[in-house]
Amino acid sequence: MADQDQDAGARLGDAATIARLADRIWALDANRLLRFAIEDLFPGRIALVSSFGADSAALLHMAAQIDRALPVLFIDTGVLFPETLRYRDALVERLGLTDVRSIGPDPEALRSEDPETFLWSSDPDHCCHIRKVAPLERALEGFEAWISGRKRFQAATRAALPLFEVDEGRVKINPLADWSSTRLSDYLDLHGLPRHELVAQGYPSIGCVPCTSKVRPGEDSRAGRWRGKAKTECGLHVRPPAETVGRTG
């Protein structure tokens, strides 16, 4: 069975194959789904992408219970809150993660396209591309799958988020897609995991300093991202549309 699953995972360009896998294991809880992906489907060929943001500790904790050496890709845009960098360091130490890779924008791209670090104001999509999307594309080379911490409750644009997607020739897995904010909070409490210090200050979703603001009561958790602009995602999850495979939960 394991050999068959690995072979199926290797054919990641075949959406139908991934759909069959997704339909077969869609009811697994997040821990078992994560273990199945890391140990059976894509052993040595999968990475977890984490912002070390407001909701990151739960998924990182689950992954650490399975394999502390799992590659964790952290995009340091150069304009993150210092609290985020402190939170990253605290979680890495707390969870014993041994392969956290901080990746960032190409220095030459910054010099030529954003020399004054003000591109976010005039062209936030391009700013996200050079500071987030392009660095992640480079960092994912050699991996066949990656794990995302996105959840449906975070915004209306994520309400139909599936467990599995095929994106740019790789499988993207969203093991916490169907988790609620209450379930997430309960998990953090159960395991005594620290919160990002900005959450208590009104930032339930935390990105780069210039494009993150506090969220008002009644708004969805991502309302403070790119406030006032026709933009809801940084681009990591909206490159030509990812193909949904299997059930959504």
Side-chain angles (χ1 to χ4, degrees), residues 152-228:
R152 294 172 193 152
F153 79 81
Q154 291 172 319
T157 54
R158 297 183 175 184
L161 181 68
L163 294 177
F164 283 81
E165 302 165 281
V166 175
D167 181 8
E168 296 288 307
R170 292 184 182 86
V171 175
K172 185 191 297 183
I173 304 168
N174 308 304
L176 304 185
D178 63 350
W179 278 42
S180 67
S181 59
T182 299
R183 185 176 181 185
L184 180 67
S185 181
D186 288 346
Y187 185 95
L188 298 180
D189 289 340
L190 176 64
H191 296 283
L193 295 170
R195 265 72 165 180
H196 192 300
E197 58 190 281
L198 289 180
V199 172
Q201 299 178 36
Y203 296 86
S205 180
I206 303 158
C208 296
V209 173
C211 299
T212 304
S213 61
K214 292 184 179 182
V215 170
R216 295 184 285 265
E219 293 183 316
D220 71 48
S221 64
R222 289 179 60 83
R225 304 289 292 275
W226 306 286
R227 188 179 292 281

Side-chain angles (χ1 to χ4, degrees), residues 9 49 72:
V49 177
V72 175

